[in-house]
Each structure stands twice: as structure tokens, then as C-alpha cells.
Short mmCIF file of all heavy atoms in Angstrom, two decimals:
data_model
loop_
_atom_site.label_atom_id
_atom_site.label_comp_id
_atom_site.label_asym_id
_atom_site.label_seq_id
_atom_site.Cartn_x
_atom_site.Cartn_y
_atom_site.Cartn_z
N ARG A 1 -9.24 10.47 0.37
CA ARG A 1 -10.25 10.20 1.34
C ARG A 1 -9.64 10.38 2.83
O ARG A 1 -10.28 11.00 3.61
CB ARG A 1 -10.82 8.84 1.27
CG ARG A 1 -11.91 8.47 2.25
CD ARG A 1 -12.87 7.44 1.91
NE ARG A 1 -13.87 7.32 3.09
CZ ARG A 1 -14.03 6.35 3.90
NH1 ARG A 1 -13.17 5.32 3.78
NH2 ARG A 1 -14.81 6.32 4.79
N ALA A 2 -8.49 9.81 3.03
CA ALA A 2 -7.77 10.03 4.28
C ALA A 2 -7.52 11.42 4.76
O ALA A 2 -7.91 11.85 5.89
CB ALA A 2 -6.36 9.33 4.26
N ARG A 3 -7.26 12.22 3.73
CA ARG A 3 -7.07 13.71 4.03
C ARG A 3 -8.33 14.26 4.27
O ARG A 3 -8.44 15.14 5.17
CB ARG A 3 -6.29 14.42 2.89
CG ARG A 3 -4.87 13.81 2.58
CD ARG A 3 -3.91 14.16 3.86
NE ARG A 3 -2.53 13.69 3.47
CZ ARG A 3 -1.70 13.17 4.24
NH1 ARG A 3 -2.16 13.04 5.60
NH2 ARG A 3 -0.51 12.80 3.95
N ARG A 4 -9.38 14.06 3.46
CA ARG A 4 -10.73 14.53 3.77
C ARG A 4 -11.23 14.24 5.10
O ARG A 4 -11.93 14.91 5.82
CB ARG A 4 -11.78 14.12 2.61
CG ARG A 4 -11.35 14.58 1.31
CD ARG A 4 -12.12 15.62 0.81
NE ARG A 4 -13.53 15.49 1.11
CZ ARG A 4 -14.34 16.57 0.93
NH1 ARG A 4 -13.93 17.58 0.15
NH2 ARG A 4 -15.49 16.50 1.32
N LEU A 5 -10.93 12.86 5.74
CA LEU A 5 -11.39 12.46 6.99
C LEU A 5 -10.61 13.10 8.13
O LEU A 5 -11.05 13.13 9.18
CB LEU A 5 -11.19 10.99 7.07
CG LEU A 5 -12.13 10.15 6.18
CD1 LEU A 5 -11.90 8.63 6.28
CD2 LEU A 5 -13.53 10.30 6.67
N GLY A 6 -9.44 13.75 7.75
CA GLY A 6 -8.77 14.64 8.68
C GLY A 6 -7.37 13.91 9.26
O GLY A 6 -6.74 14.51 10.05
N ILE A 7 -6.89 12.92 8.40
CA ILE A 7 -5.63 12.33 8.83
C ILE A 7 -4.44 13.36 8.22
O ILE A 7 -4.39 13.76 7.14
CB ILE A 7 -5.39 10.96 8.13
CG1 ILE A 7 -6.30 10.05 8.93
CG2 ILE A 7 -3.86 10.37 8.32
CD1 ILE A 7 -6.28 8.64 8.46
N LEU A 8 -3.61 13.71 9.12
CA LEU A 8 -2.61 14.79 8.83
C LEU A 8 -1.25 14.16 8.67
O LEU A 8 -0.35 14.70 8.01
CB LEU A 8 -2.43 15.77 9.91
CG LEU A 8 -3.70 16.66 10.29
CD1 LEU A 8 -3.58 17.46 11.55
CD2 LEU A 8 -4.25 17.36 9.04
N GLY A 9 -1.02 12.89 9.36
CA GLY A 9 0.39 12.21 9.24
C GLY A 9 0.48 11.53 7.90
O GLY A 9 -0.26 11.61 6.96
N ALA A 10 1.58 10.72 7.94
CA ALA A 10 2.05 9.96 6.78
C ALA A 10 1.07 8.80 6.42
O ALA A 10 0.31 8.40 7.26
CB ALA A 10 3.42 9.36 7.15
N ILE A 11 1.04 8.68 5.09
CA ILE A 11 0.19 7.48 4.72
C ILE A 11 1.15 6.58 3.99
O ILE A 11 1.93 6.91 3.07
CB ILE A 11 -0.86 8.12 3.66
CG1 ILE A 11 -1.77 8.99 4.46
CG2 ILE A 11 -1.63 6.83 2.96
CD1 ILE A 11 -2.71 9.66 3.44
N GLN A 12 1.14 5.29 4.30
CA GLN A 12 2.05 4.23 3.76
C GLN A 12 1.24 3.02 3.59
O GLN A 12 0.28 2.68 4.26
CB GLN A 12 3.16 4.15 4.55
CG GLN A 12 2.88 3.64 6.05
CD GLN A 12 4.03 3.80 7.09
OE1 GLN A 12 4.75 4.82 7.09
NE2 GLN A 12 4.34 2.66 7.75
N ILE A 13 1.95 2.07 2.83
CA ILE A 13 1.39 0.78 2.67
C ILE A 13 2.04 -0.15 3.77
O ILE A 13 3.24 -0.17 3.71
CB ILE A 13 1.55 0.13 1.34
CG1 ILE A 13 0.78 1.02 0.38
CG2 ILE A 13 1.08 -1.21 1.16
CD1 ILE A 13 1.01 0.71 -1.12
N GLU A 14 1.10 -0.91 4.52
CA GLU A 14 1.72 -1.71 5.65
C GLU A 14 2.78 -0.94 6.45
O GLU A 14 2.61 0.17 6.95
CB GLU A 14 2.17 -3.01 5.18
CG GLU A 14 1.06 -3.77 4.44
CD GLU A 14 0.13 -4.59 5.51
OE1 GLU A 14 0.27 -4.44 6.51
OE2 GLU A 14 -0.93 -4.98 4.88
N ASP A 15 3.91 -1.49 6.60
CA ASP A 15 5.12 -0.97 7.33
C ASP A 15 5.94 -0.14 6.50
O ASP A 15 7.07 0.25 6.93
CB ASP A 15 5.93 -2.10 8.06
CG ASP A 15 6.46 -3.04 7.13
OD1 ASP A 15 6.30 -2.80 5.85
OD2 ASP A 15 7.08 -4.08 7.54
N GLY A 16 5.57 0.14 5.23
CA GLY A 16 6.40 1.00 4.36
C GLY A 16 7.48 0.25 3.61
O GLY A 16 8.14 0.90 2.80
N ASN A 17 7.36 -1.05 3.62
CA ASN A 17 8.45 -1.88 2.99
C ASN A 17 7.95 -2.02 1.44
O ASN A 17 6.86 -2.65 1.37
CB ASN A 17 8.58 -3.36 3.63
CG ASN A 17 9.49 -4.13 2.99
OD1 ASN A 17 9.90 -3.93 1.89
ND2 ASN A 17 9.92 -5.18 3.63
N LEU A 18 8.63 -1.59 0.55
CA LEU A 18 8.25 -1.60 -0.89
C LEU A 18 8.06 -3.02 -1.41
O LEU A 18 7.40 -3.30 -2.34
CB LEU A 18 9.30 -0.82 -1.74
CG LEU A 18 8.95 -0.54 -3.14
CD1 LEU A 18 7.57 0.18 -3.25
CD2 LEU A 18 9.94 0.15 -3.81
N LYS A 19 8.98 -3.91 -0.79
CA LYS A 19 8.75 -5.37 -1.22
C LYS A 19 7.37 -5.89 -1.07
O LYS A 19 7.04 -6.77 -1.96
CB LYS A 19 9.79 -6.14 -0.44
CG LYS A 19 9.78 -7.59 -0.90
CD LYS A 19 10.88 -8.53 -0.27
CE LYS A 19 11.10 -9.77 -0.65
NZ LYS A 19 10.14 -10.40 -1.62
N LYS A 20 6.59 -5.50 -0.13
CA LYS A 20 5.36 -5.97 -0.03
C LYS A 20 4.39 -5.59 -1.20
O LYS A 20 3.51 -6.36 -1.65
CB LYS A 20 4.59 -5.61 1.23
CG LYS A 20 5.23 -6.22 2.37
CD LYS A 20 4.58 -5.80 3.89
CE LYS A 20 5.22 -6.52 4.89
NZ LYS A 20 4.65 -6.23 6.15
N VAL A 21 4.62 -4.27 -1.72
CA VAL A 21 3.81 -3.84 -2.92
C VAL A 21 4.30 -4.67 -4.18
O VAL A 21 3.48 -5.05 -4.87
CB VAL A 21 4.08 -2.38 -3.10
CG1 VAL A 21 3.32 -1.95 -4.36
CG2 VAL A 21 3.71 -1.55 -1.85
N VAL A 22 5.63 -4.78 -4.22
CA VAL A 22 6.18 -5.56 -5.45
C VAL A 22 5.63 -6.97 -5.45
O VAL A 22 5.09 -7.63 -6.36
CB VAL A 22 7.70 -5.60 -5.41
CG1 VAL A 22 8.29 -6.64 -6.49
CG2 VAL A 22 8.27 -4.14 -5.62
N ASP A 23 5.62 -7.65 -4.22
CA ASP A 23 5.08 -8.98 -4.14
C ASP A 23 3.69 -9.14 -4.38
O ASP A 23 3.11 -10.00 -5.10
CB ASP A 23 5.26 -9.63 -2.65
CG ASP A 23 6.78 -9.91 -2.40
OD1 ASP A 23 7.56 -9.89 -3.40
OD2 ASP A 23 7.06 -10.02 -1.25
N PHE A 24 2.81 -8.04 -3.93
CA PHE A 24 1.38 -7.95 -4.30
C PHE A 24 1.22 -7.90 -5.83
O PHE A 24 0.30 -8.69 -6.31
CB PHE A 24 0.73 -6.76 -3.51
CG PHE A 24 -0.63 -6.54 -3.67
CD1 PHE A 24 -1.50 -7.46 -2.89
CD2 PHE A 24 -1.23 -5.83 -4.60
CE1 PHE A 24 -2.95 -7.27 -3.08
CE2 PHE A 24 -2.54 -5.56 -4.71
CZ PHE A 24 -3.38 -6.42 -3.97
N ILE A 25 1.85 -7.08 -6.49
CA ILE A 25 1.78 -6.93 -8.01
C ILE A 25 2.15 -8.16 -8.60
O ILE A 25 1.51 -8.70 -9.49
CB ILE A 25 2.65 -5.76 -8.50
CG1 ILE A 25 2.15 -4.43 -7.97
CG2 ILE A 25 2.68 -5.80 -10.00
CD1 ILE A 25 2.96 -3.28 -8.23
N GLU A 26 3.12 -8.96 -8.03
CA GLU A 26 3.61 -10.25 -8.70
C GLU A 26 2.44 -11.23 -8.43
O GLU A 26 2.18 -12.01 -9.39
CB GLU A 26 4.87 -10.72 -7.97
CG GLU A 26 5.42 -11.97 -8.61
CD GLU A 26 5.80 -11.88 -10.07
OE1 GLU A 26 6.17 -10.67 -10.64
OE2 GLU A 26 5.74 -12.88 -10.80
N LYS A 27 1.86 -11.25 -7.31
CA LYS A 27 0.64 -12.23 -7.12
C LYS A 27 -0.47 -11.94 -8.11
O LYS A 27 -1.07 -12.87 -8.62
CB LYS A 27 0.21 -11.98 -5.65
CG LYS A 27 1.04 -12.66 -4.73
CD LYS A 27 0.52 -12.39 -3.33
CE LYS A 27 1.33 -12.82 -2.23
NZ LYS A 27 0.86 -12.47 -0.83
N ILE A 28 -0.75 -10.57 -8.45
CA ILE A 28 -1.75 -10.40 -9.37
C ILE A 28 -1.40 -10.86 -10.74
O ILE A 28 -2.13 -11.50 -11.41
CB ILE A 28 -1.88 -8.77 -9.45
CG1 ILE A 28 -2.53 -8.26 -8.22
CG2 ILE A 28 -2.80 -8.45 -10.72
CD1 ILE A 28 -2.51 -6.72 -8.06
N ASN A 29 -0.07 -10.62 -11.08
CA ASN A 29 0.40 -11.15 -12.43
C ASN A 29 0.41 -12.64 -12.66
O ASN A 29 0.30 -13.11 -13.75
CB ASN A 29 1.86 -10.57 -12.69
CG ASN A 29 1.78 -9.11 -12.93
OD1 ASN A 29 0.87 -8.59 -13.58
ND2 ASN A 29 2.97 -8.53 -12.56
N THR A 30 0.57 -13.38 -11.61
CA THR A 30 0.74 -14.75 -11.65
C THR A 30 -0.50 -15.63 -11.10
O THR A 30 -0.64 -16.75 -11.23
CB THR A 30 1.90 -15.20 -10.73
OG1 THR A 30 1.77 -15.07 -9.31
CG2 THR A 30 3.22 -14.80 -11.39
N SER A 31 -1.62 -14.73 -10.84
CA SER A 31 -2.84 -15.36 -10.24
C SER A 31 -3.52 -16.13 -11.35
O SER A 31 -3.58 -15.62 -12.52
CB SER A 31 -3.75 -14.32 -9.71
OG SER A 31 -4.97 -15.02 -9.47
#
């Protein structure tokens, strides 16, 4: 969707810190 809208630059989750994604997955698993 971002590419179709015209975003040419990088796409990342938050500030690019992988730990945030790992923590998010952990929250799903322990919810």
C-alpha cells in the first residue's frame, strides 16, 4: 500500500529497533 501511495523511501517499524517487534510478539504470546 505504501508503495502504491507513492512512498519511495525506507519502510521500517517504529525507529527500526528489532527489539520492539520481538516485544510485541511476546505480548501477543502472553496476552
Side-chain angles (χ1 to χ4, degrees):
R1 179 156 185 251
R3 296 297 182 215
R4 297 253 328 173
L5 289 171
I7 293 178
L8 303 174
I11 299 173
Q12 63 191 47
I13 297 172
E14 299 282 351
D15 59 4
N17 184 346
L18 187 59
K19 182 168 178 2
K20 290 186 179 182
V21 178
V22 172
D23 290 347
F24 184 79
I25 293 169
E26 184 62 29
K27 286 180 189 175
I28 294 172
N29 286 330
T30 59
S31 176

